[in-house]
Amino acid sequence: MNTASSIPQIAAAGFRADLVRWRQLVTPGWLAALTAGAAVEAAPAAGWRLFEAGCDSAALFEQSHIPGAAYFDTGCIEQEPLWNKVSDQAMQALLLARGVRHDTTVIVYGRNNLAAARLAHLLLYAGVADVRLLDGGYARWLACGHPCAAGPAASPVAAADFGIAFPAHPEYLIGTAEARALLARGDAVLASIRTEAEFTGRVSGYSYIAAGDIPGARWGRAGEDGDVNSMSAYHLADGSMKPAADIVAQWAEYGIVRGTPTAFYCGTGWRASMAFFYAWLMGWPDISVYDGGWFEWSQTAPAV
């Protein structure tokens, strides 16, 4: 089992030495070599899949995308009115139709990399064993000068079965009842991955959600006030993940610490999924995403 002290010795060149699951955060250079057919370190299994995750952005995908990618719209995996995950049956069908089994390596990126994090989290929930995220997303790919392709993606070959019970990791996702139980324990944390203005109730951040936040939650930070797509507290200027130690320190300031059962949430799930994925990369145990987040909580309880 990997420990924090062993990470620098095992991380391959080009990968993050400060992450337990260092293979799961890939660089644009690594992905460019892989898509070009070159030999790469920590190579995925045969039959790997590359998805661009987005919301109503299929037209942009067809204009320009990473070679070899297929488009995966988050509208397929979330449903109104709360934008929570679709049913397990529907989720499994979506993955099988795209050729994804539990043993398929899936690499995800996005123009908004929060969409990719949302998909990545649900892939882990489903039980896909090897899920990888492009650090910095499509913007960093372009900034590094890597080639792009145009046109629709080729139709995938569907998978006949997922290969294991679905979902394999239901503990990675909780609902409102479980979130309430977590708060009542006293030895667990609901971590609000929202801006300071959202967390303090000064603004909602969304046109369709009331202002406020969950009483008893701890602030896990997010990004700039007024921008629900910003995760600048977690990212360097190029959009890549900050050093793990920096993220751990900002969490610890508000009592979010490794080993304490922690459920991340935001407004509807995207920012929380990014925080979850980074904690997962660091090897944190007992972590989950509260899928309903403030949107669902606000429908059933008064604001702070």
Side-chain angles (χ1 to χ4, degrees), residues 203-271:
V203 302
S204 159
Y206 304 81
S207 62
Y208 52 91
I209 305 178
D213 213 331
I214 298 175
R218 302 183 188 180
W219 188 37
R221 299 178 182 263
E224 306 304 319
D225 281 343
D227 186 355
V228 298
N229 290 307
S230 171
M231 285 285 279
S232 58
Y234 291 77
H235 294 141
L236 301 175
D238 65 356
S240 61
M241 178 186 173
K242 281 185 176 180
D246 291 359
I247 296 173
V248 168
Q250 70 185 24
W251 281 343
E253 184 179 353
Y254 294 93
I256 303 166
V257 296
R258 180 188 178 96
T260 301
T262 301
F264 301 98
Y265 74 92
C266 54
T268 61
W270 285 25
R271 290 175 290 180

Side-chain angles (χ1 to χ4, degrees), residues 267-295:
T268 61
W270 285 25
R271 290 175 290 180
S273 294
M274 182 67 81
F276 171 95
F277 196 81
Y278 287 166
W280 180 79
L281 291 176
M282 291 184 253
W284 279 35
D286 294 323
I287 55 173
S288 60
V289 169
Y290 167 31
D291 196 20
W294 170 242
F295 191 15

Side-chain angles (χ1 to χ4, degrees), residues 19 38 74 88 99 112 126 134 138 166 194 197 219 241 247:
L19 300 175
T74 59
D88 289 342
N112 178 347
L134 176 61
Y138 191 55
F166 192 104
R194 306 179 71 199
W219 188 37
M241 178 186 173
I247 296 173

Side-chain angles (χ1 to χ4, degrees), residues 17-118:
D18 59 344
L19 300 175
V20 171
R21 293 185 170 101
W22 51 271
R23 294 175 182 83
Q24 314 313 130
L25 189 68
V26 303
T27 66
W30 181 92
L31 184 56
L34 179 68
T35 56
V40 295
E41 295 184 88
W48 55 272
R49 302 282 288 139
L50 172 63
F51 292 115
E52 176 179 314
C55 182
D56 295 330
S57 56
L60 291 175
F61 173 86
E62 293 193 7
Q63 291 174 18
S64 177
H65 56 262
I66 296 176
Y71 179 68
F72 202 128
D73 201 291
T74 59
C76 295
I77 56 175
E78 300 175 319
Q79 58 187 345
E80 296 186 83
L82 298 173
W83 302 112
N84 287 352
K85 178 191 74 67
V86 297
S87 71
D88 289 342
Q89 182 180 12
M91 183 74 187
Q92 183 174 13
L94 288 167
L95 297 184
L96 294 180
R98 289 161 174 77
V100 175
R101 288 171 39 92
H102 78 283
D103 53 1
T104 305
T105 295
V106 181
I107 306 164
V108 295
Y109 75 94
R111 293 162 198 271
N112 178 347
N113 228 28
L114 297 179
R118 175 67 158 161

Side-chain angles (χ1 to χ4, degrees), residues 178-198:
E178 294 163 297
R180 290 185 185 279
L182 204 67
L183 272 180
R185 286 174 51 176
D187 64 344
V189 169
L190 273 183
S192 177
I193 310 302
R194 306 179 71 199
T195 66
E196 184 178 22
E198 289 173 279

